[in-house]
Amino acid sequence: MKIKTIQHFLIIILTIVTFFCPFFIYKNAKYNVSFAITCLIAFFYIFICIKKTQTTRKLFPFIILFIIYFLIFTITSILHIGCYTEMINRLCCFSFFVVLYKYGDTIFTKKLLKQILNITLIAVVFSILLYFLNIEELSFGNGINYRIQGDHFIDKRLTYVFLHKSTYGLILNLLLIICMRFKNVFSSIKRQYIYILIIFLAIILTGSATAIISSLIIAFAFYICDNRKKINKRKLAVIAICIIVAPFIFTYLFNFLETSRNLSTGGTRFEIWATAFDYLSKNNIGLGDKFFITYIGKFNNFHNVFLNEMLHFSIPIGVMFLIIFIYITIISIKAKKGEKLINTLLWIAIYLLLMIDHSLNISMLPMFFLLIYIIYFYKEEDDINEW
C-alpha cells in the first residue's frame, strides 16, 4: 500500500472518529477515548511523514517555539502540576499541524476533501435529527449516553458529540468557511448551497450566539471580498441595505438574548474574566489536574481558550500556547497571495469564538488543525476562488 494511500486513510479515520465516535471510559474520572485515538492517528501520520522530513527554514520558528513550550511545560510539570499527558497531547497536535503545513500540498486532493465534506455532512444532518428528537448531546461509555434538552441547561442547544455547544459552533464555522471557499469541490452550485444552508441551520440550533455572529462575519467577509475590485451599483446597494438593516437585526438579537442572558455583564463574562485575572495576579501556576473540578470563586470555566490554558497549567504555558496560535495565524494570513483581507476577516471570526467561549476543547485539536490547514494552505488551484 502506498504511503499516500495510508495518509489519506488516516485523515478519513480521524474525521470519522471525531464526528461519530464519542467514546469515554468512566472510572474515577471521565477519560476521552476518542481523543486518545485521534492523537494516535496524528502521531502515526507524523511518524510516516517524519522519515522523509528535511528541515527547512520555514520550520525553524515552529521548532524554536515547540522547544520553548516543551521546556516550560516539562519544568512546570516536574515542580508543580505533573500534567505530562496533557503536554504530550498538545505537542502531538501541534506537530500534526506542522506536518500538514510541510507536506499537505503533496497529500491533499479534491477527492480527499470531498470525502471529508461528505462525512461531515452526514454527521451534521444526524446531529440536527437528534436535536428534533429532543437530544442535546450523545456519547458512548458504559452504554449509549445521551442528554435530553433541558436536563442540564435552561436553554435549548445542540452539542452533539463535542462536549459543549461553542465547540460544535467552532467546528461548524470552519466547515462553513471550507464550503464557501472551495466551490469547485461540489458537483453543482445547488449542492454547495444546500450544504451551506444545512451548516447555517446547525449553527443556529447550537444556541451559541457567538457562533451565530461568527457565521455572519464569515458570510459578510466572503461577500465583500468576492471580486472586491468590481464594486458596482448592485453591490453598493446591498452593502447600503446591510448597513441600514444591521441595527434592527442586532436589536432583535439583543432582545432575544436578554431573555436568557444578562448582556450588560456580557453574559457574566466580565465577572468571569475579572475573577480569572484576579487569580492569575496572585498565582503563576495553574490548577493542573484539578482544573474543571475546582471552582475559582463561582466558576470553573472561564470562556476563553487561552485563559483556560493559563489557569489549567501556568501563565508561561498559556502565553506560549497563545504565541503558537498567533504564529500560525500570521503565516496563514500570508499563505496565499492576494488573500490577506479575506484570511484576516476569517481569523477574526475564529478568534471571536476562541476569546469569548471555551470553544476549542482540546479533544478537538487534531480536527481543528486539519480544518485550519484546509482553509488556509490547501493549494489545488482549480479548487480555489480568487479573492
Side-chain angles (χ1 to χ4, degrees), residues 165-180:
K165 64 178 183 178
S166 61
T167 303
Y168 193 27
L170 173 62
I171 296 295
L172 287 168
N173 272 288
L174 295 178
L175 290 173
L176 177 65
I177 294 171
I178 292 171
C179 290
M180 297 185 78

Side-chain angles (χ1 to χ4, degrees), residues 238-249:
V238 171
I239 293 172
I241 291 170
C242 288
I243 293 172
I244 293 169
V245 172
F248 297 98
I249 294 174

Side-chain angles (χ1 to χ4, degrees), residues 96-147:
F96 175 59
F97 172 78
V98 172
V99 169
L100 287 172
Y101 175 60
K102 178 74 165 64
Y103 293 109
D105 56 344
T106 63
I107 297 166
F108 264 81
T109 62
K110 181 191 286 189
K111 180 181 178 181
L112 179 58
L113 184 52
K114 280 184 177 180
Q115 290 170 338
I116 292 171
L117 288 176
N118 287 336
I119 292 167
T120 56
L121 175 62
I122 294 169
V124 172
V125 171
F126 181 60
S127 73
I128 293 171
L129 176 62
L130 290 177
Y131 179 90
F132 288 110
L133 291 174
N134 212 33
I135 296 173
E136 174 193 322
E137 182 180 330
L138 179 69
S139 65
F140 306 115
N142 299 334
I144 299 175
N145 306 301
Y146 56 89
R147 189 162 64 200

Side-chain angles (χ1 to χ4, degrees), residues 282-295:
K282 301 170 185 175
N283 303 274
N284 291 326
I285 305 301
L287 296 168
D289 290 334
K290 295 179 181 178
F291 189 67
F292 286 129
I293 62 173
T294 300
Y295 281 77

Side-chain angles (χ1 to χ4, degrees), residues 205-266:
L205 296 180
T206 62
S208 169
T210 315
I212 294 170
I213 293 170
S214 292
S215 68
L216 294 176
I217 293 172
I218 290 165
F220 185 71
F222 275 101
Y223 181 80
I224 289 296
C225 294
D226 187 8
N227 299 317
R228 64 181 183 276
K229 294 179 181 179
K230 300 177 181 178
I231 299 292
N232 52 35
K233 292 181 180 179
R234 182 181 176 183
K235 180 167 287 190
L236 287 172
V238 171
I239 293 172
I241 291 170
C242 288
I243 293 172
I244 293 169
V245 172
F248 297 98
I249 294 174
F250 281 106
T251 300
Y252 171 78
L253 285 174
F254 182 88
N255 292 331
F256 174 76
L257 292 170
E258 269 285 314
T259 60
S260 59
R261 294 277 192 272
N262 183 358
L263 296 184
S264 64
T265 63

Side-chain angles (χ1 to χ4, degrees), residues 47-99:
F47 178 76
I48 290 173
C49 293
I50 206 75
K51 292 182 178 180
K52 58 180 182 177
T53 297
Q54 294 180 348
T55 304
T56 59
R57 182 180 292 181
K58 73 176 187 177
L59 295 184
F60 285 158
F62 278 117
I63 293 170
I64 293 169
L65 289 172
F66 287 1
I67 290 172
I68 296 171
Y69 184 68
F70 174 75
L71 289 175
I72 293 173
F73 217 136
T74 302
I75 293 169
T76 306
S77 291
I78 291 171
L79 296 178
H80 301 286
I81 58 176
C83 295
Y84 301 104
T85 304
E86 297 281 1
M87 174 183 69
I88 293 169
N89 288 343
R90 283 158 175 75
L91 284 171
C92 180
C93 294
F94 283 133
S95 300
F96 175 59
F97 172 78
V98 172
V99 169

